[in-house]
Amino acid sequence: MENLQIIHTQIVEWLNEIVPIIKGSLSEELIIETKLNRKDLVTNIDKKVQDFLVQKIKGTYPAHIIVGEESPELKIRDKREHVWIIDPIDGTANFVKQQDHFCILIAYYENDIGKLGYIFDVMNDDLYYAIENKGAFVNDEKLPIQKEVTLQEGLISADVRDWAGKECFGRLAEESFGIRYFGCGGIDSIHVITGKFVAFATSKSGPWDLAAQLVFAKELGLKASHFDGRKLHYLDRGDWVLSNKGAYDDLINILKGWNC
Amino acid sequence: MENLQIIHTQIVEWLNEIVPIIKGSLSEELIIETKLNRKDLVTNIDKKVQDFLVQKIKGTYPAHIIVGEESPELKIRDKREHVWIIDPIDGTANFVKQQDHFCILIAYYENDIGKLGYIFDVMNDDLYYAIENKGAFVNDEKLPIQKEVTLQEGLISADVRDWAGKECFGRLAEESFGIRYFGCGGIDSIHVITGKFVAFATSKSGPWDLAAQLVFAKELGLKASHFDGRKLHYLDRGDWVLSNKGAYDDLINILKGWNC
């Protein structure tokens, strides 16, 4: 078992070092490549941030395993004593098109138990983090445990990419108080974590999109699962929701019943 | 003809006086009423801000006409020498549920010509404004004329309220680079004005939702019209788009062709 407070302090230092890398890049020409399709982007800055974090983690904890969105060669092994999951830039399309509404996601797990989770909203300089059994924080201010709010009373974020035109999306819009969408899972999740939204639901994710949020969920009394209610493992892929407890059952009923 | 620079200075002063009214209300219990349906909200703060602005305008310019979202008794007359259009809180649902992502919209017209437009993002303390023939600004920094970007290359904001589940919404999601939605027309419009989105399209609006944006459109070389391409008048109601010139034709073809 590592000392979580020490790792936390290191991560905060690393994130502070990343700020000038990202902000300095905003005035430069990005090198943009596409991955699976024309909308699936990766830039030289995604890679630079990933390399920076991998180097820091490997330099400090050589035996730890790292799973990163931009490094498919770093595969998870059977031995999962110390696992880091990182998304150097979550919301790359927003980074490229808006220079805003993107974030860095980091999670640290020991023997499949979430220990630390980070969502760093770089442009607003807001660091959200969760530490096992210590709670969740924004810039060192403790976030309250979420009181229950129903789906009918709450705003939800739903991933518009795949649902546009689908009937289930209409049901979500009608049943909830309204749909919003930032187009960056980490930023959308922040709105659930802070109680501004009652849920975030998305259909295509990897471990780097959800591992940090699972640590927050435990500390804040939020629910997280697959659309069909199945337990969500931090190394899973596919669909998942992060939800206020009071909205969860109605949300899952729509996601299951309307073939989302 | 009034001196626009004098009016501009007055409006900025008034907006500064509104900030403590709104920010002070965030720690108090709001009085919330519904209008047309359970999701159409108005609060005591909407009314307070509207009353404040009406009092200021009437006190300074007794002969001017005011059209405000929360004052249906203030109707537009035939004589339109001096017309103010105000939305005291655009995005009331966000104000209530998020305490963020709402704004104040103000427009001033003389003989049907847009002279001044304001979008005030209260929580970020960012004032966007446009002055006829002078350009558009954010906090006194001049905004550049928008260079042309295609729909395929740009993010768009589309009002999810009415379109969820509709086929045209799926077309928009597919053709554009991606859909985003803040749920506040003024905040969504800011993202078009600053070039972060190529378009904002919404189906249910009143003059207070679009009059300010029309002043920005002229100064920044943006297109604005109804979905079917009809010219948009600042006192119109219904559907409308604010769009980058390079994205406009493709956007209108989808909005017309897919029965949005």
Side-chain angles (χ1 to χ4, degrees), chain A residues 209-224:
Chain A
D209 293 312
L210 57 86
Q213 284 89 321
L214 282 174
V215 187
F216 283 90
K218 202 171 156 204
E219 295 303 315
L220 292 171
L222 297 167
K223 299 273 281 184

Side-chain angles (χ1 to χ4, degrees), chain B residues 127-184:
Chain B
L127 177 60
Y128 297 81
Y129 63 92
I131 303 179
E132 188 198 22
N133 299 328
K134 290 271 164 61
F137 305 81
V138 51
N139 302 329
D140 299 341
E141 183 189 320
K142 194 157 187 181
L143 293 167
I145 306 278
Q146 293 288 313
K147 61 179 184 196
E148 293 194 17
V149 180
T150 63
L151 183 65
Q152 290 68 33
E153 282 305 305
L155 299 173
I156 68 168
S157 168
D159 184 342
V160 175
R161 275 178 300 184
D162 301 306
W163 297 1
K166 279 198 189 173
E167 215 171 346
C168 76
F169 191 67
R171 291 299 309 161
L172 284 178
E174 199 170 304
E175 290 291 319
S176 72
F177 204 87
I179 288 185
R180 305 289 183 262
Y181 186 52
F182 285 94
C184 165

Side-chain angles (χ1 to χ4, degrees), chain B residues 31-43:
Chain B
I31 302 162
I32 303 166
E33 292 168 62
T34 54
K35 296 191 288 185
L36 297 176
N37 58 61
R38 77 175 178 95
K39 299 181 190 178
D40 188 14
L41 305 181
V42 61
T43 75

